[in-house]
Amino acid sequence: MSAPMLQAATSVVLLVLIGLCCVWADDEFEGGSRTLILEHSFDLGLNPTFTKKGTVILKSVKGNKAFFSPTAPLTSSELDKLKELARNNDIYRVRLQTGSGSSGEEYVTSYAPACGILASNLSDHIWIHFDQSGEVMGISVETSLSLCNNINSFSLQEWNTSVEVSHTVLGPTPDTQSYIEKLKREEQERAKGQHEDKRSFLAKYWMYIVPIVLVMMLSGGGEQQGQGGGGGGGGGS
């Protein structure tokens, strides 16, 4: 292989490798890998106690690459509490630690009907919503079913939780520069109108009107004198 061909082949290989690295970096680690703690609660009332449900490992927001690792199966006590929530038509709560606060203890929360959790055989789907900068905006939990029967006979204790991410997309921005320029033009036009000559028609064009009036008066007077002289001559003959 000649030197030019070898150089060209080397360049192609380098470009391919760079492209693969860029795609991998953008798809897998834009913003870096993150670990988020997911918690849940089986308590009634306004001040529930949360315990760790599992860990969300986020690899890519744009590529929707997030994985859930459960901490442990439901305990018998937790299962009894979940059944009690379902019997009372109450809710099963989840929350996600965002870590955006100074203390790292800020959360976003959501809930689903406890009956839906049992009816779906402990299968729930977690949505994590991110803003444009990669910060957690909110969380939502979904189940495939909402009504349940035979609550007392339910015995499953293994979670089947899936996680999916979504991120906001910026819409078209308003053309503020054109709007500002339009306002400036309108202001200049108004200012120009205020400085226009507001005098009356006679005040502005008297220098043209006066000569015309004088000419008309003089020409009218001459005609009258001519008519008077003709009348006197007729009387003398």
Side-chain angles (χ1 to χ4, degrees), residues 142-154:
E142 301 173 351
T143 57
S144 58
L145 300 173
S146 58
L147 300 176
C148 59
N149 297 313
N150 301 321
I151 294 174
N152 294 327
S153 62
F154 190 89

Side-chain angles (χ1 to χ4, degrees), residues 2 12 31 36 47-48 51 53 57 63 67 84 97 102 110 116 124 131 139 158 187 203 219 221 236:
S2 63
V12 171
L36 305 173
N47 297 307
T51 56
K53 177 175 181 175
I57 301 173
F67 310 94
E84 184 66 19
Q97 184 174 347
S102 57
S110 185
D124 55 349
D131 62 15
I139 184 177
E158 293 288 342
E187 185 177 355
S219 62

Side-chain angles (χ1 to χ4, degrees), residues 37-151:
I37 304 301
L38 183 67
E39 300 177 341
H40 58 180
S41 176
F42 307 94
D43 291 347
L44 296 168
L46 299 177
N47 297 307
T49 300
F50 284 85
T51 56
K52 185 177 179 180
K53 177 175 181 175
T55 303
V56 176
I57 301 173
L58 178 68
K59 290 291 185 181
S60 171
V61 174
K62 294 180 181 179
N64 191 13
K65 291 190 176 182
F67 310 94
F68 177 75
S69 176
T71 299
L74 276 176
T75 64
S76 298
S77 175
E78 289 173 337
L79 181 57
D80 290 339
K81 289 181 178 180
L82 184 59
K83 291 179 180 180
E84 184 66 19
L85 290 175
R87 279 191 288 268
N88 289 287
N89 197 27
D90 214 316
I91 58 175
Y92 163 76
R93 297 173 172 89
V94 294
R95 72 179 186 181
L96 189 72
Q97 184 174 347
T98 64
S100 59
S102 57
S103 61
E105 295 182 355
E106 293 189 1
Y107 300 90
V108 290
T109 61
S110 185
Y111 62 88
C115 239
I117 298 293
L118 294 178
S120 302
N121 295 321
L122 301 184
S123 296
D124 55 349
H125 186 75
I126 305 293
W127 279 94
I128 305 174
H129 309 283
F130 293 85
D131 62 15
Q132 196 68 20
S133 62
E135 294 297 325
V136 178
M137 292 177 58
I139 184 177
S140 56
V141 54
E142 301 173 351
T143 57
S144 58
L145 300 173
S146 58
L147 300 176
C148 59
N149 297 313
N150 301 321
I151 294 174

